[in-house]
Amino acid sequence: MTTAKSPVLEIKRRWLLGLFAGYLVALALVVFLPSKEAEKVTGFVGVMAGWLTVVGVPIDTAAIVIEFVANIVMFIPLGCLTLALWPQTWTMRSMVLLGAVASTFIELMQLLIPGRVTAVSDVIANTAGALLGVFLARKLGLRAARSHG
């Protein structure tokens, strides 16, 4: 049985789908650019690490921590938007699996990209970000119009 969709909920769903598509494009640019071009997009890690040296944090340690946190933040929208758009489809367990599989795929593809470096810590941080996105979506009560048909 098909029920009529509220026009407001349908607009909300379309906005969320647009945000999700934009997020996926931005994510692809960040993770699939060769290292020289990626530095232009992700150069903030070095800048922020430099700022932390002012308070006595060694630059290598600061860069590692900032990159780890950036990887978490980068996957929050995946968990948040996926749960908001398809709440009946995604459980906590399946979102952890999605985050881990998507991140592992990215890391494996980066093996083929000149100058890119892969790390298990990226998979851990990205998966944590997807999970954090799920918690955020639940906390904010994000739900789009349910898709019928």
Side-chain angles (χ1 to χ4, degrees), residues 31-111:
V31 301
F32 293 130
L33 285 174
S35 64
K36 288 251 189 229
E37 288 78 13
E39 286 174 6
K40 295 173 187 169
V41 177
T42 62
F44 74 92
V45 171
V47 171
M48 291 178 74
W51 292 343
L52 290 175
T53 61
V54 174
V55 294
V57 178
I59 194 155
D60 291 339
T61 302
I64 290 168
V65 170
I66 291 167
E67 186 173 347
F68 189 81
V69 170
N71 275 310
I72 291 172
V73 170
M74 183 171 61
F75 264 58
I76 289 173
L78 178 69
C80 196
L81 291 170
T82 301
L83 186 70
L85 286 164
W86 301 284
Q88 294 81 15
T89 306
W90 295 97
T91 65
M92 194 70 70
R93 181 178 292 165
S94 63
M95 272 312 303
V96 168
L97 186 60
L98 175 65
V101 168
S103 183
T104 300
F105 172 77
I106 289 167
E107 294 302 308
L108 290 173
M109 294 308 297
Q110 286 181 344
L111 289 171

